[in-house]
Amino acid sequence: MGIDTADHVQHAPSGETWVVAYVRGDRLAWCGWPQGEAALSDCTLERKATPAERDTLLHEMAACGQNDSRGSYARERLAQAA
């Protein structure tokens, strides 16, 4: 069971819990500001999102501006699912 959009993870170096924006390869991006990425290996799944939660977050992120990697990811993923 891999980590995916809208899942909640524990980021070991910071001790923070993050909502996942996306996972690409060995990198994980979090929701919130500032945007950024961390090593997937530093994150542990705390709570798996439901399909409805994942779909809602993808649609919310798709509304982000062109310069936001999370928005670009969401638009690509939603287009693939259509």
Side-chain angles (χ1 to χ4, degrees):
M1 166 177 25
I3 295 172
D4 198 1
T5 299
D7 292 346
H8 290 70
V9 297
Q10 176 78 30
H11 180 244
S14 69
E16 296 175 340
T17 298
W18 294 341
V19 176
V20 177
Y22 64 79
V23 174
R24 284 188 174 150
D26 65 349
R27 305 297 294 170
L28 177 149
W30 59 83
C31 293
W33 191 256
Q35 65 178 315
E37 294 184 353
L40 179 59
S41 61
D42 286 340
C43 300
T44 305
L45 181 65
E46 283 194 341
R47 186 178 76 78
K48 195 77 178 150
T50 66
E53 290 170 327
R54 185 166 296 108
D55 189 57
T56 296
L57 183 56
L58 284 167
H59 281 89
E60 289 173 359
M61 289 190 311
C64 293
Q66 297 291 7
N67 294 327
D68 190 312
S69 62
R70 300 164 296 186
S72 299
Y73 172 84
R75 288 187 291 276
E76 290 171 15
R77 185 154 169 191
L78 289 169
Q80 290 173 356

Coordinates of all heavy atoms in Angstrom, one line a residue:
M1 N 0.9 -1.2 0.0 CA 0.0 0.0 0.0 C 0.9 1.2 0.0 O 1.6 1.5 1.0 CB -0.9 0.0 1.2 CG -1.6 1.2 1.5 SD -2.8 1.3 2.9 CE -2.3 0.0 4.0
G2 N 1.0 1.9 -1.1 CA 1.8 3.1 -1.3 C 1.2 4.3 -0.8 O -0.1 4.4 -0.6
I3 N 2.0 5.3 -0.5 CA 1.5 6.6 -0.1 C 1.0 7.4 -1.3 O 1.7 7.4 -2.3 CB 2.6 7.4 0.7 CG1 3.0 6.6 2.0 CG2 2.2 8.8 0.9 CD1 4.2 7.2 2.7
D4 N -0.1 8.1 -1.2 CA -0.7 8.8 -2.3 C -1.3 10.1 -1.8 O -1.4 10.4 -0.6 CB -1.8 7.8 -2.9 CG -2.2 8.2 -4.3 OD1 -1.7 9.2 -4.9 OD2 -3.1 7.5 -4.8
T5 N -1.8 10.8 -2.8 CA -2.5 12.1 -2.5 C -3.5 12.0 -1.4 O -4.3 11.1 -1.4 CB -3.1 12.6 -3.8 OG1 -2.1 12.8 -4.8 CG2 -3.8 14.0 -3.6
A6 N -3.5 13.0 -0.5 CA -4.5 13.1 0.6 C -4.2 12.2 1.8 O -4.9 12.3 2.8 CB -5.9 13.0 0.1
D7 N -3.3 11.3 1.7 CA -2.9 10.5 2.8 C -2.2 11.4 3.8 O -1.7 12.5 3.5 CB -1.9 9.4 2.4 CG -2.5 8.3 1.6 OD1 -3.8 8.2 1.5 OD2 -1.7 7.5 1.0
H8 N -2.2 11.0 5.1 CA -1.5 11.7 6.2 C -0.2 10.9 6.5 O -0.3 9.7 6.7 CB -2.3 11.8 7.4 CG -3.5 12.7 7.2 ND1 -4.6 12.5 6.4 CD2 -3.7 14.0 7.8 CE1 -5.4 13.5 6.5 NE2 -4.9 14.4 7.3
V9 N 0.9 11.6 6.6 CA 2.2 11.0 6.9 C 2.9 11.7 8.0 O 2.6 12.9 8.3 CB 3.1 11.0 5.6 CG1 2.5 10.1 4.5 CG2 3.5 12.4 5.2
Q10 N 3.7 11.0 8.7 CA 4.6 11.5 9.7 C 6.0 11.7 9.0 O 6.5 10.8 8.5 CB 4.8 10.6 10.9 CG 5.7 11.0 11.9 CD 5.2 12.1 12.9 OE1 4.0 12.1 13.1 NE2 6.0 12.9 13.4
H11 N 6.5 13.0 9.1 CA 7.8 13.3 8.5 C 8.8 13.2 9.7 O 8.8 14.1 10.6 CB 7.8 14.7 7.9 CG 9.1 15.1 7.3 ND1 9.8 16.2 7.8 CD2 9.8 14.6 6.3 CE1 10.9 16.3 7.1 NE2 11.0 15.3 6.2
A12 N 9.6 12.2 9.7 CA 10.5 11.9 10.8 C 11.5 13.1 11.1 O 11.6 13.4 12.3 CB 11.3 10.6 10.5
P13 N 12.2 13.7 10.2 CA 13.1 14.7 10.6 C 12.5 15.9 11.3 O 13.1 16.5 12.2 CB 13.7 15.2 9.2 CG 13.7 14.0 8.4 CD 12.3 13.3 8.8
S14 N 11.2 16.3 10.9 CA 10.6 17.5 11.5 C 9.6 17.1 12.6 O 9.3 18.0 13.4 CB 9.8 18.3 10.4 OG 8.7 17.5 10.0
G15 N 9.2 15.8 12.6 CA 8.2 15.4 13.6 C 6.8 15.9 13.2 O 5.9 15.7 14.0
E16 N 6.6 16.5 12.1 CA 5.3 17.0 11.7 C 4.5 16.0 10.9 O 5.0 15.0 10.3 CB 5.5 18.2 10.7 CG 6.2 19.4 11.3 CD 6.5 20.5 10.4 OE1 6.5 20.3 9.1 OE2 6.7 21.6 10.8
T17 N 3.2 16.1 11.0 CA 2.2 15.3 10.2 C 1.8 16.2 9.0 O 1.4 17.3 9.2 CB 1.0 15.0 11.1 OG1 1.4 14.2 12.2 CG2 0.0 14.2 10.2
W18 N 1.9 15.6 7.9 CA 1.6 16.3 6.6 C 0.5 15.6 5.9 O 0.4 14.4 5.9 CB 2.8 16.3 5.7 CG 4.0 17.1 6.2 CD1 4.0 18.1 7.1 CD2 5.3 17.0 5.7 NE1 5.3 18.5 7.2 CE2 6.1 17.9 6.4 CE3 5.9 16.2 4.7 CZ2 7.5 18.0 6.1 CZ3 7.3 16.3 4.5 CH2 8.1 17.3 5.2
V19 N -0.3 16.4 5.1 CA -1.2 15.8 4.1 C -0.4 15.8 2.8 O 0.2 16.8 2.4 CB -2.5 16.7 4.0 CG1 -3.4 16.2 2.9 CG2 -3.2 16.8 5.3
V20 N -0.5 14.7 2.1 CA 0.3 14.5 0.9 C -0.3 15.1 -0.3 O -1.5 14.9 -0.6 CB 0.5 13.0 0.7 CG1 1.3 12.8 -0.6 CG2 1.3 12.3 1.8
A21 N 0.4 16.0 -1.0 CA -0.1 16.5 -2.3 C 0.2 15.5 -3.4 O -0.7 15.2 -4.2 CB 0.6 17.8 -2.6
Y22 N 1.4 15.0 -3.4 CA 1.7 14.0 -4.5 C 3.0 13.3 -4.1 O 3.8 13.7 -3.3 CB 1.9 14.6 -5.9 CG 3.0 15.6 -6.1 CD1 4.3 15.2 -6.2 CD2 2.7 16.9 -6.1 CE1 5.3 16.1 -6.4 CE2 3.7 17.9 -6.3 CZ 5.0 17.5 -6.5 OH 6.0 18.4 -6.6
V23 N 3.2 12.1 -4.7 CA 4.4 11.4 -4.7 C 4.9 11.2 -6.1 O 4.1 10.7 -6.9 CB 4.3 10.0 -3.9 CG1 5.5 9.2 -4.0 CG2 3.8 10.2 -2.5
R24 N 6.1 11.5 -6.3 CA 6.8 11.3 -7.6 C 8.1 10.7 -7.4 O 9.0 11.3 -6.8 CB 7.0 12.6 -8.4 CG 5.7 13.1 -9.0 CD 6.0 14.3 -9.9 NE 4.8 14.7 -10.6 CZ 4.6 16.0 -11.0 NH1 5.5 16.9 -10.8 NH2 3.5 16.3 -11.7
G25 N 8.2 9.4 -7.8 CA 9.5 8.7 -7.5 C 9.8 8.6 -6.0 O 8.9 8.1 -5.3
D26 N 10.9 9.1 -5.6 CA 11.3 9.0 -4.2 C 11.1 10.3 -3.5 O 11.6 10.5 -2.4 CB 12.8 8.6 -4.1 CG 13.8 9.6 -4.7 OD1 13.3 10.6 -5.4 OD2 15.0 9.5 -4.4
R27 N 10.3 11.2 -4.1 CA 10.0 12.5 -3.5 C 8.5 12.6 -3.1 O 7.6 12.1 -3.9 CB 10.4 13.7 -4.4 CG 11.8 13.6 -4.9 CD 12.8 13.8 -3.8 NE 12.7 15.1 -3.2 CZ 13.4 15.5 -2.1 NH1 14.1 14.6 -1.4 NH2 13.3 16.7 -1.6
L28 N 8.2 13.3 -2.0 CA 6.8 13.5 -1.6 C 6.7 15.0 -1.4 O 7.5 15.7 -0.8 CB 6.6 12.8 -0.2 CG 5.3 13.0 0.4 CD1 4.9 11.7 1.2 CD2 5.3 14.2 1.4
A29 N 5.6 15.6 -1.9 CA 5.2 17.0 -1.7 C 4.1 17.1 -0.7 O 3.1 16.2 -0.8 CB 4.8 17.6 -3.0
W30 N 4.1 18.1 0.1 CA 3.1 18.2 1.1 C 2.1 19.4 0.7 O 2.5 20.2 -0.1 CB 3.7 18.5 2.5 CG 4.5 19.8 2.5 CD1 4.1 21.1 2.7 CD2 6.0 19.8 2.4 NE1 5.2 21.9 2.6 CE2 6.3 21.2 2.5 CE3 6.9 18.9 2.2 CZ2 7.7 21.6 2.4 CZ3 8.3 19.3 2.1 CH2 8.6 20.6 2.2
C31 N 1.0 19.4 1.3 CA 0.0 20.5 1.2 C 0.4 21.6 2.1 O 1.0 21.3 3.2 CB -1.4 20.0 1.4 SG -2.0 18.8 0.2
G32 N 0.1 22.8 1.8 CA 0.4 23.9 2.7 C 1.5 24.8 2.1 O 1.9 24.6 1.0
W33 N 1.9 25.7 2.9 CA 2.8 26.7 2.5 C 4.0 26.8 3.4 O 3.8 26.7 4.7 CB 2.2 28.1 2.5 CG 3.0 29.1 1.8 CD1 3.8 30.1 2.4 CD2 3.3 29.3 0.4 NE1 4.4 30.8 1.5 CE2 4.2 30.3 0.2 CE3 2.9 28.6 -0.7 CZ2 4.6 30.7 -1.0 CZ3 3.3 29.0 -2.0 CH2 4.2 30.1 -2.1
P34 N 5.2 26.9 3.0 CA 5.6 27.0 1.6 C 5.5 25.6 0.9 O 5.6 24.6 1.6 CB 7.0 27.5 1.6 CG 7.6 27.0 2.9 CD 6.4 27.0 3.8
Q35 N 5.3 25.6 -0.4 CA 5.3 24.3 -1.1 C 6.8 23.8 -1.0 O 7.7 24.5 -1.0 CB 4.8 24.4 -2.5 CG 5.6 25.3 -3.4 CD 5.1 25.3 -4.8 OE1 4.7 24.2 -5.3 NE2 5.0 26.4 -5.4
G36 N 6.8 22.5 -1.1 CA 8.1 21.8 -1.1 C 8.0 20.3 -1.1 O 6.9 19.8 -1.2
E37 N 9.2 19.7 -1.2 CA 9.3 18.2 -1.3 C 10.2 17.7 -0.2 O 11.1 18.4 0.2 CB 9.7 17.8 -2.7 CG 8.8 18.1 -3.8 CD 9.2 17.6 -5.1 OE1 10.4 17.0 -5.2 OE2 8.4 17.6 -6.1
A38 N 10.0 16.5 0.1 CA 10.9 15.8 1.1 C 11.2 14.4 0.5 O 10.5 13.9 -0.4 CB 10.3 15.7 2.4
A39 N 12.1 13.7 1.1 CA 12.4 12.3 0.7 C 11.3 11.4 1.2 O 10.8 11.5 2.4 CB 13.7 11.9 1.4
L40 N 10.7 10.6 0.3 CA 9.6 9.7 0.7 C 10.1 8.8 1.8 O 9.3 8.4 2.7 CB 9.2 8.9 -0.6 CG 8.1 7.9 -0.4 CD1 6.8 8.5 0.1 CD2 7.9 7.2 -1.8
S41 N 11.4 8.4 1.8 CA 11.9 7.5 2.8 C 11.8 8.1 4.2 O 11.9 7.3 5.2 CB 13.3 7.1 2.4 OG 14.2 8.2 2.4
D42 N 11.7 9.4 4.3 CA 11.6 10.0 5.6 C 10.2 10.1 6.2 O 9.9 10.6 7.2 CB 12.1 11.5 5.6 CG 13.6 11.5 5.5 OD1 14.3 10.5 5.8 OD2 14.2 12.6 5.0
C43 N 9.2 9.6 5.4 CA 7.8 9.7 5.7 C 7.2 8.3 6.0 O 7.4 7.3 5.3 CB 7.0 10.4 4.6 SG 7.7 12.0 4.2
T44 N 6.3 8.3 7.0 CA 5.6 7.0 7.4 C 4.1 7.3 7.3 O 3.6 8.3 7.8 CB 6.0 6.6 8.8 OG1 7.4 6.5 8.9 CG2 5.3 5.3 9.2
L45 N 3.4 6.4 6.7 CA 1.9 6.6 6.5 C 1.3 6.5 7.9 O 1.5 5.6 8.7 CB 1.4 5.4 5.7 CG -0.1 5.5 5.4 CD1 -0.5 6.7 4.6 CD2 -0.5 4.2 4.7
E46 N 0.5 7.5 8.2 CA -0.3 7.5 9.4 C -1.8 7.2 9.2 O -2.4 6.5 10.0 CB -0.2 8.9 10.1 CG 1.0 9.2 10.8 CD 0.9 10.4 11.7 OE1 0.0 11.2 11.6 OE2 1.8 10.5 12.6
R47 N -2.3 7.8 8.1 CA -3.7 7.5 7.8 C -3.9 7.5 6.3 O -3.5 8.5 5.6 CB -4.6 8.6 8.4 CG -6.1 8.2 8.2 CD -7.0 9.2 8.9 NE -7.2 10.5 8.2 CZ -7.9 10.7 7.1 NH1 -8.6 9.7 6.5 NH2 -7.9 11.9 6.5
K48 N -4.5 6.5 5.7 CA -4.8 6.4 4.3 C -6.1 7.2 4.0 O -7.1 7.1 4.7 CB -5.0 4.9 3.9 CG -5.0 4.6 2.5 CD -3.5 4.7 2.0 CE -3.5 4.3 0.5 NZ -2.4 5.0 -0.1
A49 N -6.0 8.0 3.0 CA -7.2 8.8 2.6 C -8.2 7.9 1.9 O -7.9 6.8 1.3 CB -6.8 9.9 1.6
T50 N -9.5 8.3 1.9 CA -10.5 7.5 1.2 C -10.5 8.0 -0.3 O -9.9 9.1 -0.5 CB -11.9 7.9 1.8 OG1 -12.2 9.3 1.5 CG2 -12.0 7.5 3.2
P51 N -11.0 7.3 -1.2 CA -11.1 7.7 -2.6 C -11.8 9.1 -2.7 O -11.3 9.9 -3.5 CB -11.9 6.6 -3.3 CG -11.6 5.4 -2.5 CD -11.5 5.9 -1.1
A52 N -12.8 9.3 -1.9 CA -13.5 10.6 -2.0 C -12.6 11.7 -1.5 O -12.6 12.8 -2.1 CB -14.8 10.6 -1.2
E53 N -11.9 11.5 -0.4 CA -10.9 12.5 0.1 C -9.9 12.8 -1.0 O -9.5 14.0 -1.2 CB -10.3 12.1 1.4 CG -11.2 12.0 2.5 CD -10.6 11.4 3.8 OE1 -9.8 10.4 3.6 OE2 -11.0 11.8 4.9
R54 N -9.3 11.8 -1.6 CA -8.3 12.0 -2.6 C -8.9 12.8 -3.8 O -8.2 13.7 -4.3 CB -7.8 10.6 -3.1 CG -6.7 10.6 -4.1 CD -6.0 9.3 -4.2 NE -5.4 8.9 -2.9 CZ -5.9 7.9 -2.1 NH1 -6.9 7.2 -2.5 NH2 -5.3 7.7 -1.0
D55 N -10.1 12.4 -4.3 CA -10.7 13.1 -5.4 C -10.9 14.6 -5.1 O -10.6 15.5 -5.9 CB -12.0 12.4 -5.8 CG -12.5 13.0 -7.1 OD1 -11.8 12.9 -8.1 OD2 -13.7 13.4 -7.1
T56 N -11.4 14.9 -3.9 CA -11.6 16.2 -3.5 C -10.4 17.1 -3.5 O -10.3 18.2 -4.0 CB -12.3 16.3 -2.1 OG1 -13.6 15.6 -2.2 CG2 -12.5 17.7 -1.6
L57 N -9.3 16.5 -2.9 CA -8.0 17.2 -2.8 C -7.5 17.4 -4.2 O -6.9 18.5 -4.5 CB -7.0 16.5 -1.9 CG -5.7 17.2 -1.8 CD1 -5.9 18.7 -1.2 CD2 -4.8 16.4 -0.8
L58 N -7.5 16.5 -5.1 CA -7.0 16.6 -6.5 C -7.8 17.8 -7.2 O -7.1 18.6 -7.8 CB -7.2 15.3 -7.3 CG -6.2 14.2 -7.0 CD1 -6.6 12.9 -7.6 CD2 -4.8 14.7 -7.4
H59 N -9.1 17.9 -7.0 CA -9.8 19.0 -7.6 C -9.5 20.3 -7.0 O -9.4 21.3 -7.7 CB -11.3 18.7 -7.5 CG -11.8 17.7 -8.6 ND1 -11.8 16.4 -8.4 CD2 -12.2 17.9 -9.8 CE1 -12.3 15.8 -9.5 NE2 -12.5 16.7 -10.4
E60 N -9.2 20.4 -5.7 CA -8.8 21.6 -5.0 C -7.4 22.0 -5.5 O -7.2 23.2 -5.8 CB -8.8 21.4 -3.5 CG -10.2 21.3 -2.9 CD -10.1 21.0 -1.4 OE1 -9.0 20.8 -0.8 OE2 -11.2 20.9 -0.8
M61 N -6.5 21.1 -5.6 CA -5.2 21.4 -6.1 C -5.2 21.8 -7.6 O -4.3 22.7 -8.0 CB -4.2 20.3 -5.9 CG -3.9 20.0 -4.4 SD -2.5 18.8 -4.2 CE -3.0 17.4 -5.2
A62 N -6.1 21.3 -8.4 CA -6.1 21.6 -9.8 C -6.4 23.0 -10.0 O -6.1 23.6 -11.1 CB -7.1 20.7 -10.5
A63 N -7.0 23.7 -9.1 CA -7.3 25.1 -9.2 C -6.1 26.0 -8.9 O -6.2 27.2 -9.1 CB -8.5 25.5 -8.3
C64 N -5.0 25.4 -8.4 CA -3.8 26.2 -8.1 C -3.2 26.8 -9.4 O -3.5 26.3 -10.5 CB -2.8 25.4 -7.4 SG -3.3 24.8 -5.8
G65 N -2.5 27.8 -9.2 CA -1.8 28.5 -10.4 C -0.9 27.6 -11.1 O -0.5 26.6 -10.7
Q66 N -0.5 28.1 -12.3 CA 0.4 27.4 -13.2 C 1.8 27.2 -12.6 O 2.5 26.3 -13.0 CB 0.5 28.2 -14.5 CG -0.8 28.3 -15.3 CD -1.3 27.0 -15.9 OE1 -0.7 25.9 -15.6 NE2 -2.3 27.0 -16.6
N67 N 2.2 28.0 -11.7 CA 3.6 27.9 -11.1 C 3.6 27.0 -9.9 O 4.6 27.0 -9.2 CB 4.1 29.3 -10.8 CG 4.4 30.1 -12.0 OD1 4.7 29.6 -13.1 ND2 4.2 31.4 -11.9
D68 N 2.5 26.4 -9.6 CA 2.5 25.5 -8.4 C 2.5 24.0 -8.9 O 1.7 23.6 -9.6 CB 1.2 25.7 -7.7 CG 1.1 25.1 -6.3 OD1 1.5 23.9 -6.2 OD2 0.8 25.7 -5.3
S69 N 3.6 23.3 -8.5 CA 3.8 21.9 -9.0 C 2.6 21.0 -8.5 O 2.3 20.1 -9.2 CB 5.1 21.4 -8.5 OG 5.1 21.4 -7.0
R70 N 2.0 21.4 -7.4 CA 0.9 20.5 -6.9 C -0.3 20.7 -7.9 O -1.0 19.7 -8.1 CB 0.5 20.9 -5.5 CG 1.7 20.7 -4.5 CD 1.6 21.4 -3.2 NE 1.5 22.9 -3.4 CZ 1.5 23.8 -2.5 NH1 1.5 23.3 -1.2 NH2 1.5 25.0 -2.7
G71 N -0.6 21.9 -8.3 CA -1.7 22.1 -9.3 C -1.4 21.4 -10.6 O -2.3 20.8 -11.2
S72 N -0.2 21.5 -11.1 CA 0.2 20.8 -12.3 C 0.0 19.3 -12.2 O -0.5 18.6 -13.1 CB 1.7 21.1 -12.7 OG 1.8 22.5 -12.9
Y73 N 0.5 18.7 -11.1 CA 0.3 17.3 -10.8 C -1.2 16.9 -10.8 O -1.6 15.9 -11.5 CB 0.9 16.9 -9.5 CG 0.6 15.5 -9.1 CD1 1.4 14.5 -9.6 CD2 -0.5 15.2 -8.3 CE1 1.1 13.1 -9.2 CE2 -0.7 13.9 -7.9 CZ 0.1 12.9 -8.4 OH -0.2 11.6 -8.1
A74 N -2.0 17.7 -10.1 CA -3.4 17.3 -10.0 C -4.1 17.4 -11.4 O -4.9 16.5 -11.7 CB -4.1 18.3 -9.0
R75 N -3.8 18.4 -12.2 CA -4.4 18.5 -13.5 C -4.0 17.4 -14.4 O -4.8 16.8 -15.1 CB -4.0 19.9 -14.1 CG -4.8 21.1 -13.5 CD -4.5 22.4 -14.2 NE -3.1 22.8 -14.1 CZ -2.7 23.5 -13.1 NH1 -3.4 23.9 -12.1 NH2 -1.4 23.9 -13.1
E76 N -2.8 16.9 -14.3 CA -2.3 15.8 -15.1 C -3.0 14.5 -14.6 O -3.4 13.7 -15.5 CB -0.8 15.6 -14.9 CG 0.1 16.7 -15.6 CD 1.5 16.5 -15.2 OE1 2.0 15.5 -14.6 OE2 2.3 17.5 -15.4
R77 N -3.1 14.3 -13.3 CA -3.7 13.1 -12.8 C -5.2 13.0 -13.1 O -5.7 12.0 -13.5 CB -3.5 13.0 -11.3 CG -4.0 11.7 -10.7 CD -3.3 11.3 -9.5 NE -3.9 10.2 -8.9 CZ -3.7 9.8 -7.7 NH1 -2.7 10.3 -7.0 NH2 -4.3 8.8 -7.2
L78 N -5.9 14.2 -13.0 CA -7.3 14.2 -13.3 C -7.5 14.0 -14.8 O -8.5 13.3 -15.2 CB -7.9 15.5 -12.9 CG -8.1 15.7 -11.4 CD1 -8.4 17.1 -11.0 CD2 -9.1 14.7 -10.8
A79 N -6.7 14.5 -15.7 CA -6.8 14.3 -17.1 C -6.6 12.8 -17.5 O -7.3 12.3 -18.3 CB -5.8 15.2 -17.9
Q80 N -5.7 12.2 -16.8 CA -5.4 10.7 -17.1 C -6.6 9.9 -16.6 O -6.9 8.8 -17.3 CB -4.2 10.3 -16.3 CG -2.9 10.8 -16.8 CD -1.7 10.5 -16.0 OE1 -1.8 9.9 -14.9 NE2 -0.5 10.9 -16.4
A81 N -7.3 10.3 -15.6 CA -8.4 9.5 -15.1 C -9.7 9.7 -15.9 O -10.6 8.9 -15.8 CB -8.7 9.9 -13.6
A82 N -9.7 10.8 -16.7 CA -10.9 11.1 -17.5 C -11.1 10.2 -18.7 O -10.2 9.5 -19.2 CB -10.9 12.5 -18.0

